[in-house]
Amino acid sequence: MKTKVLGSSLATLREWSVSKGKKPFIANQLLDWMFKKGESDLTKMTNLSLEVRTLMQEELDMGTLELVREQESRDGETTKFLWKLPDDKLVESVLIRSGDRRTVCVSSQVGCPARCAFCASGRQGLIRNLEPHEIIAQVYQIDLWLKKKNEAVSHIVYMGMGEPFRNYESVVASIRYFIDPNFLGLSQRRITVSTVGVVEGIERFTQEGLKVNLVLSLHAPNQKLRTKIIPYAREYALETILDAMWRYADVSGRDITFEYTLLKGINDGIEQAEELARLLKGKQCTVNLIPYNPVEGLRLEKPHHTSVEEFRQVLDRAKVINTCRYTKGDDIAAACGQLAMQELKNVV
Ligand code: SAH
């Protein structure tokens, strides 16, 4: 199999050069073109000799993905990218522009094993894990796309399709790549991993020595309601998940965020707000409330504006810091939880 450029360390690429009887420095030149000059086309890397370019073309695989479709929301704040993988599977990423921020929401799997009741991504279950370079390519190619407009990716969130901690090795490899100064060199605090609560994943992640942001998709203040909304939640007691999250906060020094998708009549009542306030009172954390984004075919409803406000007031009174994320990109089905294979199949 050809060596993949995206996802390979500088050392690996330098060893490859030497194994082909070339100077190791050509690997630095290659990466300089790809990441500093924003050029991924080998034929345009003019300070490499024709012989080296031909060798690279024949023996290396860039690891980039085929862009099938690119779709911009009406307000121009969100762009959805649809990629075709080498085995013809499809995956999506979303670019969100907000002020100076250029955030890429990446997918870590095709499909998802979590099967949250409100989310389109898990409706077919898990199809397959993404390889490290398939996660990296989503960000790299959007960064190249932005560079043409003199912009660059500033933040990455692992909130696209898939459960990051059920594809642990590839996700961690991609994070290490994104923060490496040889590649994107992003600051760790600009990277956020969102998990449904895979305890062994959270515990292992705590040992990595990384300081990225960690988010738990909570969606309910107790185990009983949580398992109704997230079938996967049966795997672990909520208490055990929360203990693992607090330990990550201690070790990494990063504050924890909880995502709570508000579903009308299910988890958006005063009773749930009060229970959530009791659960998190006095803890260093933020609750990010996300009103449900309608997914076709699901019999769930958006919460009333007033119940969202009342929910927030309960949290405010208990001094539980909270934010409310209003939808971006829902007109192109690029909002949270709207990335779905089913829908994609009809597109291409
Ligand atoms: N598997 C990971 C990463 C996926 S991102 C996780 O569960 O955290 C998941 C986030 O998208 C959830 O926290 C949820 O808040 C949000 N989400 C998914 N579907 C949604 C929908 N239909 N409406 C609003 N938010 C949704």
Side-chain angles (χ1 to χ4, degrees), residues 112 114 116 118-120 158-160 162-164 194-196 215 217 219 259-261 290-295 325 336-338:
C112 184
C116 298
F118 49 79
C119 181
Y158 288 75
M159 291 187 187
E163 167 47 45
S194 178
T195 178
V196 75
V215 173
S217 291
H219 311 314
E259 302 236 78
Y260 194 107
T261 298
I290 311 168
Y292 167 63
N293 291 313
V295 171
R325 188 161 83 201
C336 269
Q338 293 187 327

Side-chain angles (χ1 to χ4, degrees), residues 31 56 71 94 107 116 148 159 162 172 178 214 239 269 286 310-311 321 330 343:
L31 294 181
M56 286 179 170
Q71 203 182 357
V94 182
S107 293
C116 298
K148 294 201 182 88
M159 291 187 187
V172 169
F178 293 138
L214 189 58
E239 245 185 18
T286 301
E310 282 165 12
F311 201 99
I321 300 169
D330 54 341
E343 181 199 350

